[in-house]
Amino acid sequence: MNSGASGIQQSTGKPRLSFWQIINMNFGFFGIQFSFGLQQSSMSPIYAYLGADEASLPYLWLAGPVTGLLVQPLIGAMSDRTVSRWGRRTPYFLIGAILCSLGLLLMPFSPTLWMAAGLLWILDAANNVTMEPYRAFVSDKLDASQHSVGFLTQSAFTGLGQTLAYLTPSILVVAGMNSNSVNSHHIPHIVIAAFIIGAVFSIASILWTLKTSPEIPLTPDQLAQIKKQATGWRATLTEIGQAIKEMPPTMRQLALVKLFQWYAMFCYWQYIMLSLGRTIFGTSDPSSAGFREAGLLNGQIGAFYNFVAFIAAFALVPFTRRYGPKISHAVCLTLAGLCMISIPAIHNPSLLFIPMLGVGLAWASIMGNPYIMLAGSIPAERTGVYMGIFNMFIVIPMIIQIFTLPLYYHAWLSGNPENVIRLAGVLLICAAMAVGIVKLSPKPLSNTD
């Protein structure tokens, strides 16, 4: 990438951005992903502290996929049609970040299971209001030749934000907080502090992006085209339906890949701490010190795989340019699948960091390569709605997982969270195989970034 080429115009008329401009543009993703990292690392423990049953745990994660299914396509389509003094995407960034920060502040003070589950609905809805307009924003700002570096930079911030989210409780312990100090509902004070820190990061990172990376003003032709379109929720739903009907073949083929990979990741996030509690600390009792230690260990290995993802996202840029996003994604998923299968066999905490190398590599690829494959196949004027619809390929597998895993958790998996982690590994390998059916758009990725 030529960081001094910010004034060179591409065929689309968009300026070629420097590396630091792309960093600033994507910095808001750091706060969004810090929030998601707190959910991944802390929601199952919080539910367990408040008395949740292991087998029914997936039901309590329903908020994320359902709000993603409903909110992201609607918000994506609305942002395509929005004309305001602040731009098309900016209003959604700001509203989502404010609501997300409020949800993070309240979550760790939940006195009951139903309140924690309800707050997760609000928190996930807020994150989803921000997410797809943000992905569309990257496509708006960057020429097609810079899509790979743009989306993989988002992947890098996913890794960085979630690294710090997972690691924050351990950092607080090193700083002097007592890991065994809990409130009246058994929620550790280090978890409460981590959520407060997340609330600050969520709003601050979005404000930085809004300050440093204004949207490209719409051209008169674009404004005229938007103003000609019907407005209101009926028009938005009609647009979503029409876009689904006219979905590009590449996007349809990616659906199977995402079915396997996101079913797998939801299994991992929900049950990894419970698995570690048994394999490393020999406990499934949420009130025990071993269970809290499992939470800290999960934070440490989660931080490590997310840091690997942060580094790998940049390392994948030249690999993806040379071999293409298909090969890159399939290799990463296969390695992660093999690594996940090995996790329950490990009983030494230090050795757990080895399989996290594979998990981190796949996480970087999951958050980058499918969007590179997608971006070259969708029309620019429908970027927002298609990014929102593409999110359905994430949340529908999660919803399927939520309603199917409890049905066979005891019968097929022996009521053992270790077997859920093994299942996740097998499904990631299935996802890698499914990448083979994806046929990319004839528009090639540029090698001149």
Side-chain angles (χ1 to χ4, degrees):
M1 175 164 35
N2 181 356
S3 62
S6 60
I8 298 175
Q9 296 292 315
Q10 303 300 308
S11 59
T12 58
K14 296 176 184 177
R16 183 180 177 84
L17 300 188
S18 72
F19 176 73
W20 292 112
Q21 287 173 315
I22 293 173
I23 290 290
N24 283 331
M25 179 180 66
N26 281 305
F27 188 65
F29 225 66
F30 169 78
I32 297 170
Q33 295 302 328
F34 195 102
S35 172
F36 277 124
L38 287 174
Q39 293 175 52
Q40 291 165 17
S41 64
S42 299
M43 286 315 302
S44 283
I46 286 175
Y47 287 150
Y49 296 137
L50 295 174
D53 173 66
E54 260 187 31
S56 61
L57 192 62
Y59 295 132
L60 296 169
W61 284 69
L62 188 60
V66 170
T67 55
L69 182 65
L70 299 176
V71 173
Q72 289 202 20
L74 284 171
I75 294 297
M78 288 169 62
S79 73
D80 281 343
R81 297 162 178 260
T82 296
V83 177
S84 76
R85 57 181 292 190
W86 300 284
R88 284 197 293 177
R89 320 296 184 184
T90 298
Y92 302 98
F93 299 168
L94 192 55
I95 292 170
I98 292 170
L99 293 175
C100 178
S101 293
L102 292 173
L104 289 170
L105 283 174
L106 295 173
M107 177 64 76
F109 297 101
S110 300
T112 60
L113 188 60
W114 69 264
M115 183 174 177
L119 282 171
L120 186 62
W121 281 83
I122 296 171
L123 182 56
D124 271 310
N127 276 326
N128 284 309
V129 166
T130 306
M131 181 67 73
E132 290 321 306
Y134 210 125
R135 292 202 182 276
F137 172 64
V138 170
S139 192
D140 292 343
K141 292 273 286 184
L142 295 178
D143 182 81
S145 66
Q146 290 192 301
H147 280 168
S148 59
V149 69
F151 286 113
L152 285 170
T153 301
Q154 280 195 348
S155 179
F157 275 118
T158 297
L160 181 61
Q162 295 192 11
T163 294
L164 292 177
Y166 274 90
L167 201 56
T168 295
S170 293
I171 293 173
L172 292 172
V173 171
V174 172
M177 289 188 70
N178 183 355
S179 63
N180 290 315
S181 176
V182 299
N183 68 7
S184 59
H185 305 290
H186 308 292
I187 299 174
H189 288 140
I190 54 174
V191 172
I192 295 172
F195 272 79
I196 293 172
I197 292 168
V200 174
F201 282 162
S202 177
I203 188 67
S205 63
I206 287 290
L207 290 175
W208 177 262
T209 287
L210 296 182
K211 176 180 173 60
T212 60
S213 306
E215 294 189 51
I216 297 175
L218 295 171
T219 66
D221 287 344
Q222 288 173 319
L223 283 170
Q225 183 65 31
I226 291 172
K227 288 178 179 177
K228 281 195 305 184
Q229 296 175 341
T231 59
W233 66 270
R234 287 188 178 88
T236 300
L237 291 177
T238 300
E239 168 65 12
I240 293 170
Q242 190 67 23
I244 291 173
K245 183 178 178 181
E246 298 170 3
M247 189 184 300
T250 299
M251 191 171 174
R252 294 181 186 275
Q253 292 154 4
L254 282 165
L256 185 61
V257 178
K258 302 196 81 169
L259 170 63
F260 287 126
Q261 73 185 25
W262 286 105
Y263 195 114
M265 293 309 298
F266 230 38
C267 286
Y268 176 84
W269 292 327
Q270 290 170 0
Y271 284 92
I272 182 60
M273 181 182 164
L274 301 180
S275 176
L276 295 176
R278 295 191 183 200
T279 59
I280 305 295
F281 299 99
T283 184
S284 58
D285 179 7
S287 64
S288 67
F291 195 85
R292 290 191 291 273
E293 288 298 317
L296 285 174
L297 178 60
N298 180 42
Q300 291 159 11
I301 64 171
F304 182 73
Y305 90 67
N306 276 287
F307 182 73
V308 170
F310 171 64
I311 301 299
F314 291 113
L316 283 174
V317 172
F319 189 90
T320 298
R321 284 185 191 144
R322 180 166 183 177
Y323 298 105
K326 281 183 59 174
I327 292 177
S328 178
H329 198 44
V331 169
C332 292
L333 290 174
T334 301
L335 289 173
L338 295 172
C339 288
M340 273 196 194
I341 290 170
S342 73
I343 290 172
I346 297 173
H347 301 285
N348 183 330
S350 299
L351 295 178
L352 284 170
F353 291 91
I354 297 174
M356 290 303 111
L357 292 169
V359 175
L361 193 62
W363 188 227
S365 185
I366 285 170
M367 297 303 292
N369 278 319
Y371 294 94
I372 297 170
M373 291 185 252
L374 175 70
S377 70
I378 56 177
E381 68 276 8
R382 279 181 159 177
T383 299
V385 67
Y386 273 125
M387 287 293 180
I389 292 170
F390 199 51
N391 185 67
M392 295 168 66
F393 297 166
I394 299 174
V395 298
I396 289 175
M398 291 179 176
I399 292 172
I400 293 172
Q401 188 266 359
I402 284 169
F403 285 106
T404 57
L405 186 64
L407 300 179
Y408 62 82
Y409 180 70
H410 289 290
W412 296 353
L413 301 177
S414 303
N416 189 342
E418 299 166 48
N419 290 331
V420 181
I421 304 304
R422 294 186 180 100
L423 172 64
V426 171
L427 290 174
L428 285 180
I429 294 172
C430 292
M433 296 170 63
V435 173
I437 70 170
V438 178
K439 292 181 174 59
L440 300 184
S441 165
K443 293 181 288 185
L445 290 171
S446 170
N447 290 320
T448 61
D449 281 1

